[in-house]
Amino acid sequence: MPAWDLLLTNAHIATMQGNHGAYGVIENGALGVADGKITWVGPESELPSRDDCKTLSLNGRWVTPALIDCHTHLVFGGNRAEEFEQRLTGISYQEIAKGGGGILSTVTATRNTSPDELIKSAAVRLQSLAREGVATVEIKSGYGLDVENELKMLRVARSLSGSSGISIRTSFLGAHAVPPEYEGNADSYIEMLCKEALPQAVGEGLVDAVDAYCENIAFSTDQIARLFEAAQSLNLPVKLHADQLSDSGGAKLAASFQALSADHLEYTSKEGVTALADAGSVAVLLPGAFLTLGETHLPPVDIFREKNVPIAIATDCNPGTSPVCSLRAAMNLATALFRLTPEECLAGVTREAARALGLLHDRGTLETGKRADVAVWNIGHPRELSYWLGLNELAQLFVGGHEVLRR
Ligand code: DI6
Ligand code: FE
């Protein structure tokens, strides 16, 4: 007889297993948890007899995998509401960046903010994600741009996990912009990242993956290739901000390093998509940045579908191009702006987001053996999770079988 710590009954379950029909639905289902893992999931009528255990009837509510935000810059000092107003008068993001504003103004603010203050402001944004059912959040560095401050950001990101119950994955984004100390000398900056910043951050256990910004206002493919070689020699997976503002060969570069994901991709060519398909990399789409920048060039969604490139969706929460602290809003935007289906959106913040973090073996779908990260919703069908904008129907959130939130 199975012994469970927790049994959820009287639920409709969207398992999000890719090969189990739309949403992987099990109507009138049940889900058993032992030692923080899912040990049984199926129709309630097939439940085996069992020892007594804590049982929770969900009264016909829907259950999905807890959501995953696989691309955020959640930790930063200050904000850029002033720049936001400037952009509304017609000054472009690139012009502001070239004038020393943009990312570099957040670098100054982040360097001048203490770890405690960074934790406080990021925790507010993290709670905003969690109360909509997000249990795993990727957080990048990239606003420190020197050894001390990149490590400070990563330590802050790691510490957010303990205080929230949310699982945090970190990405080293030292190659986000050229810092003022290295102006005109991006090659030396990359060398410093490879020889000092990255190895030290890895030595402290602060890095789960290495990311970079491949763009004509940031780093070239050659520079990033050097960083990615350093990442590989440290056994770290890579991912890339690719082809966001121009086709700069980012997707192809990412694919050549078997990247977990390539992100943004508005300007990616068919060749770039084919390379991602061959490498098994995930395309992470970021509709919040598309919206905020008033972008009109659409990512090649039809070609992703044709080539079976998995599509994830994330907030890209950052103070410049995506002040978005709602993954549910990103799902809705992805339907409106990119014409993704509600099922693609939900897969994009569960199964495919897990894949984009290299965590699909552990979460992202509801199946036995995976961590019991479960969201319970007051909805009539999972398509509603992409339909409503600004309505929060989360009832409960479980992480590793423990309830971390109830509304
Ligand atoms: N692409 C983005 O959208 C963000 N970083 C990046 O590489 C923007 C970051 C910022 O403007 O602060
Ligand atoms: Fe980003």
Side-chain angles (χ1 to χ4, degrees):
M1 259 197 300
W4 291 318
D5 304 327
L6 173 69
L7 180 65
L8 304 177
T9 62
N10 198 3
H12 302 306
I13 302 176
T15 65
M16 300 314 290
Q17 277 183 271
N19 46 359
H20 285 61
Y23 297 94
V25 167
I26 301 170
E27 285 188 20
N28 305 308
L31 185 146
V33 177
D35 290 331
K37 305 250 186 221
I38 299 169
T39 47
W40 196 89
V41 58
E44 197 167 333
S45 59
E46 295 173 15
L47 256 183
S49 60
R50 60 199 172 270
D51 292 336
D52 266 354
C53 71
K54 185 178 163 194
T55 302
L56 201 64
S57 167
L58 297 181
N59 300 318
R61 291 192 180 89
W62 277 85
V63 166
T64 69
L67 309 188
I68 298 171
D69 194 347
C70 66
H71 179 140
T72 86
H73 309 246
L74 206 78
V75 173
F76 54 83
N79 69 53
R80 306 233 292 278
E82 227 178 285
E83 172 188 317
F84 164 68
E85 284 186 329
Q86 278 182 336
R87 280 207 316 273
L88 288 169
T89 68
I91 308 174
S92 77
Y93 180 70
Q94 286 96 322
E95 281 164 341
I96 290 169
K98 276 188 197 132
I103 293 178
L104 289 181
S105 65
T106 300
V107 172
T108 305
T110 304
R111 287 177 174 182
N112 291 332
T113 304
S114 70
D116 282 352
E117 288 300 318
L118 289 174
I119 289 172
K120 240 194 253 170
S121 63
V124 172
R125 297 185 277 271
L126 189 63
Q127 276 313 310
S128 166
L129 293 173
R131 69 171 173 256
E132 291 184 343
V134 177
T136 302
V137 177
E138 184 259 16
I139 301 179
K140 303 172 195 304
S141 66
Y143 291 122
L145 309 187
D146 61 23
V147 176
E148 178 193 341
N149 287 290
E150 286 293 295
L151 268 64
K152 176 176 84 176
M153 287 188 71
L154 293 166
R155 288 188 205 111
V156 165
R158 278 272 192 261
S159 77
L160 287 166
S161 162
S163 51
S164 64
I166 304 303
S167 164
I168 305 290
R169 303 292 289 184
T170 54
S171 299
F172 176 85
L173 181 57
H176 194 194
V178 181
E181 307 81 75
Y182 285 86
E183 205 189 320
N185 208 352
D187 286 322
S188 310
Y189 178 61
I190 291 284
E191 195 179 330
M192 187 284 285
L193 293 179
C194 294
K195 293 207 167 130
E196 291 177 50
L198 180 59
Q200 282 193 39
V202 173
E204 258 193 59
L206 295 172
V207 185
D208 297 320
V210 172
D211 194 351
Y213 190 18
C214 184
E215 196 60 63
N216 51 27
I217 57 168
F219 296 93
S220 70
T221 50
D222 282 354
Q223 288 162 341
I224 291 165
R226 270 176 263 145
L227 177 70
F228 281 2
E229 275 154 23
Q232 282 191 334
S233 71
L234 293 162
N235 288 322
L236 286 169
V238 303
K239 53 173 72 179
L240 190 63
H241 284 72
D243 308 327
Q244 178 189 8
L245 308 171
S246 61
D247 180 5
S248 30
K252 261 190 281 177
L253 173 72
S256 73
F257 281 87
Q258 250 69 53
L260 287 172
S261 71
D263 303 29
H264 286 290
L265 304 177
E266 279 84 343
Y267 288 85
T268 299
S269 65
K270 187 162 186 171
E271 239 187 309
V273 180
T274 305
L276 291 176
D278 292 344
S281 304
V282 177
V284 178
L285 302 187
L286 305 166
F290 185 95
L291 178 81
T292 304
L293 292 176
E295 182 58 70
T296 53
H297 198 289
L298 286 163
V301 170
D302 285 340
I303 314 179
F304 295 144
R305 288 182 180 131
E306 181 194 318
K307 304 277 179 198
N308 289 318
V309 174
I311 301 173
I313 296 164
T315 61
D316 195 16
C317 176
N318 78 67
T321 60
S322 193
V324 174
C325 301
S326 164
L327 191 55
R328 290 285 309 285
M331 293 166 71
N332 177 275
L333 290 176
T335 64
L337 299 172
F338 301 157
R339 294 281 154 210
L340 293 197
T341 67
E343 188 182 357
E344 284 173 324
C345 290
L346 187 54
V349 298
T350 55
R351 183 180 70 233
E352 306 313 341
R355 194 192 308 273
L357 295 178
L359 291 176
L360 187 58
H361 60 283
D362 185 59
R363 59 196 87 163
T365 63
L366 298 176
E367 50 189 310
T368 54
K370 291 204 180 182
R371 217 166 74 139
D373 287 9
V374 176
V376 181
W377 307 95
N378 291 312
I379 52 174
H381 190 276
R383 64 173 70 92
E384 287 179 47
L385 297 175
S386 300
Y387 166 67
W388 298 107
L389 184 54
L391 181 67
N392 188 2
E393 314 92 326
L394 185 80
Q396 273 171 293
L397 178 63
F398 295 89
V399 178
H402 293 288
E403 185 185 78
V404 297
L405 222 143
R406 182 192 289 250
R407 302 174 66 250

